[in-house]
Amino acid sequence: IQDYLKGVVPGGYAYSEFDSEEETSKNVYNQYTILLSISDRIDSVLGDIQTSLFVELQDNELETAKSLLKINLRASGVIAGVVLESYLANVTNNHKLKLTKRNPTLSDFNESLKNNNVIDTTIWRKISYLSDIRNICAHKKEIEPTKDQVEELIAGVHKIKKNVF
């Protein structure tokens, strides 16, 4: 293409039938199809990068929740609950499920995923249970979360992240 624009073309006896316009047209068409294929894949590639970064960030947040077990059980449980909620929001979004609430909660995501057959009843119950532990951690009540409950919440969030897509 560059040679055509500069006016440089093969000559002589060996290239007597060389058509520079035809060859340049082929090359332009090839470049065009390459660009089309890139535009088709760019969303997929960007989505893969975004998902990888999202999962890595959530893994770091779960590690923070684990380290907080020694300091503050409530804070640890709340962080794990936030990770679960944001993960389920992402799964809901990936399945293009619409929620009617402006600010959906963990239980809203859980219900939507179950009602649209993304998760089965067993997973739905597990998420409901984890949500109950998160609520104990997040709301000051007469019930204090136990270390075992918060550890179970963190492990459950990790398992949900590995098994629900």
Side-chain angles (χ1 to χ4, degrees), residues 6-125:
K6 290 180 181 178
V8 177
V9 293
Y13 180 73
Y15 299 103
S16 61
E17 294 186 25
F18 184 82
D19 184 352
S20 62
E21 281 188 33
E22 182 181 334
E23 290 300 317
T24 303
S25 294
K26 287 179 191 176
N27 290 330
V28 167
Y29 180 74
N30 288 341
Q31 295 296 313
Y32 174 72
T33 57
I34 289 170
L35 285 174
L36 285 179
S37 70
I38 289 172
S39 71
D40 289 344
R41 280 202 24 86
I42 194 79
D43 290 337
S44 173
V45 170
L46 290 175
D48 290 347
I49 292 170
Q50 183 180 11
T51 300
S52 295
L53 291 174
F54 180 71
V55 167
E56 186 175 334
L57 177 65
Q58 287 191 320
D59 287 343
N60 290 338
E61 288 174 338
L62 279 179
E63 286 303 314
T64 300
K66 282 181 189 176
S67 66
L68 279 173
L69 279 169
K70 300 171 189 149
I71 302 167
N72 188 323
L73 291 175
R74 286 187 182 276
S76 179
V78 168
I79 289 173
V82 168
V83 170
L84 180 60
E85 185 172 0
S86 64
Y87 183 76
L88 293 180
N90 193 45
V91 171
T92 302
N93 187 43
N94 288 345
H95 285 275
K96 298 182 183 3
L97 304 177
K98 300 295 181 203
L99 298 170
T100 56
K101 280 189 176 178
R102 185 172 157 153
N103 295 313
T105 63
L106 188 52
S107 64
D108 295 325
F109 295 121
N110 194 25
E111 289 298 322
S112 178
L113 292 170
K114 180 181 178 271
N115 292 339
N116 288 284
N117 298 316
V118 176
I119 59 174
D120 62 18
T121 303
T122 306
I123 301 287
W124 174 80
R125 284 186 185 133

Side-chain angles (χ1 to χ4, degrees), residues 115-156:
N115 292 339
N116 288 284
N117 298 316
V118 176
I119 59 174
D120 62 18
T121 303
T122 306
I123 301 287
W124 174 80
R125 284 186 185 133
K126 180 69 173 181
I127 294 170
S128 296
Y129 173 68
L130 296 175
S131 178
D132 289 343
I133 296 172
R134 190 217 54 88
N135 288 337
I136 291 170
C137 294
H139 304 292
K140 283 272 188 192
K141 294 183 180 175
E142 58 277 350
I143 301 171
E144 287 293 318
T146 66
K147 185 177 182 187
D148 287 341
Q149 286 175 320
V150 178
E151 285 175 342
E152 188 173 2
L153 174 59
I154 293 169

